[in-house]
Amino acid sequence: MATRVEFDHYGDPSVLRIVGFEPGAPGADELLIRNEAIGVNPFDHKYVAGQTGGKPLTGPVVPGNEAAGVVEAVGQGVTDVAVGDEVVWRGYLGGYATHSVVAASKVYPKPAELSFAEAAALPVAAGTAWAAVNQAGVTAGDVVLVHAASGGVGSAAVQIAVALGARVIGTASAKNQDYVRALGAEPVVYGPGLVEAVRALGTVTAIVDAVGSADAVAASRELMPGLERAVSTAHAEGFAAVKSDAAAVPSVLALAAQGSLRSDITRSFPLEAAAEALELSKTGHVRGKIVLLP
């Protein structure tokens, strides 16, 4: 039997429970996908806690908005995907399950070069990073400052900007300096002295903020007073908010397939340990990504 993780009232991750269910057949322009790996994102624990502006719940809700798996059934009107195809999807909810029914428009071919876990870790964080870097107009020759460069979004933004030929300066904790350097950025420790450390490396021409903290915003304003090419994925005041981009997911999958973008998975959990995975995500100190394995 198929299983899923659901909740029927907002709260901490302990409100999650695992239950059996019948996935049902996909409707028109939908696919039934057997999930082989599921990405975990900060949005998930915030949604479960009711911190994303969600309406009062009227029934069980399944969190999770990205996964990779195998197509098990195809709905009417779907012509470019077949049963047995390996795919990646990005949606809004419904991911924490062995099976998900997903709109065909949200599904992309999984590159053969990527494992299911690697592919499942890309759509949300790396897709958001791609949209932010693209929105900031990053090109070869730019000097890009990436705040929170060791996290899921930040680490992807570093690699995407480097792939475009930019020079990247990445902020991270002291313990993650080597990791950020390995991604292709010049690391600096966030906190006191950040502005001086960045200026010693070069003149910043674009900023991608993945943390939204007061310190990051203040440093950014000193380094780029008008914030002309500053984009935030964390709703930082004064920054342009990152906009969704239909080209983001296929673009990051292509970059990953060619080896220009890697998805670092810091921890994997079985589906039934989703609450534990969200508790780890809540700490805000995850390097790379967390995945669930049904």
Side-chain angles (χ1 to χ4, degrees):
M1 177 182 286
T3 57
R4 68 187 185 192
V5 173
E6 64 181 33
F7 67 103
D8 57 13
H9 61 281
Y10 294 119
D12 64 34
S14 67
V15 303
L16 298 176
R17 61 177 184 262
I18 189 159
V19 300
F21 77 108
E22 291 294 335
D29 301 317
E30 291 182 335
L31 303 169
L32 173 62
I33 299 170
R34 182 182 76 248
N35 296 321
E36 298 289 343
I38 302 154
V40 174
N41 294 288
F43 175 84
D44 301 344
H45 72 75
K46 293 175 184 177
Y47 190 90
V48 170
Q51 297 171 350
T52 60
K55 299 177 181 179
L57 300 177
T58 57
V61 175
V62 179
N65 51 15
E66 64 180 352
V70 179
V71 177
E72 287 204 341
V74 175
Q76 183 180 2
V78 179
T79 58
D80 55 351
V81 183
V83 172
D85 283 357
E86 296 183 351
V87 296
V88 184
W89 65 267
R90 175 178 180 174
Y92 182 62
L93 294 170
Y96 285 17
T98 57
H99 295 72
S100 298
V101 174
V102 183
S105 61
K106 304 296 184 182
V107 177
Y108 311 87
K110 182 185 80 65
E113 296 88 349
L114 303 179
S115 69
F116 284 110
E118 289 169 334
L122 287 169
V124 173
T128 300
W130 189 92
V133 170
N134 186 59
Q135 189 175 326
V138 174
T139 59
D142 271 317
V143 177
V144 184
L145 174 62
V146 176
H147 286 295
S150 66
V153 174
S155 61
V158 167
Q159 295 174 80
I160 293 165
V162 168
L164 290 170
R167 181 182 173 199
V168 182
I169 301 169
T171 72
S173 64
K175 68 178 182 180
N176 285 324
Q177 297 289 290
D178 288 342
Y179 173 69
V180 170
R181 186 177 292 107
L183 295 174
E186 297 169 70
V188 293
V189 179
Y190 56 73
L194 173 60
V195 171
E196 292 74 18
V198 172
R199 282 179 174 156
L201 293 174
T203 300
V204 171
T205 59
I207 299 174
V208 174
D209 168 63
V211 64
S213 68
D215 288 347
V217 171
S220 296
R221 288 187 180 280
E222 285 196 56
L223 294 163
M224 184 184 290
L227 299 177
E228 298 88 357
R229 294 174 62 197
V231 180
S232 178
T233 66
H235 309 291
E237 183 179 354
F239 286 67
V242 64
K243 300 175 182 177
S244 62
D245 192 320
V249 176
S251 296
V252 297
L253 290 173
L255 283 172
Q258 69 187 34
S260 298
L261 174 62
R262 76 184 199 224
S263 50
D264 289 309
I265 298 168
T266 189
R267 284 285 302 275
S268 60
F269 294 83
L271 181 61
E272 56 267 27
E276 185 180 350
L278 289 195
E279 288 290 359
L280 176 59
S281 179
K282 279 176 63 178
T283 67
H285 298 296
V286 175
R287 188 170 78 180
K289 288 281 294 187
I290 301 168
V291 297
L292 300 174
L293 301 176

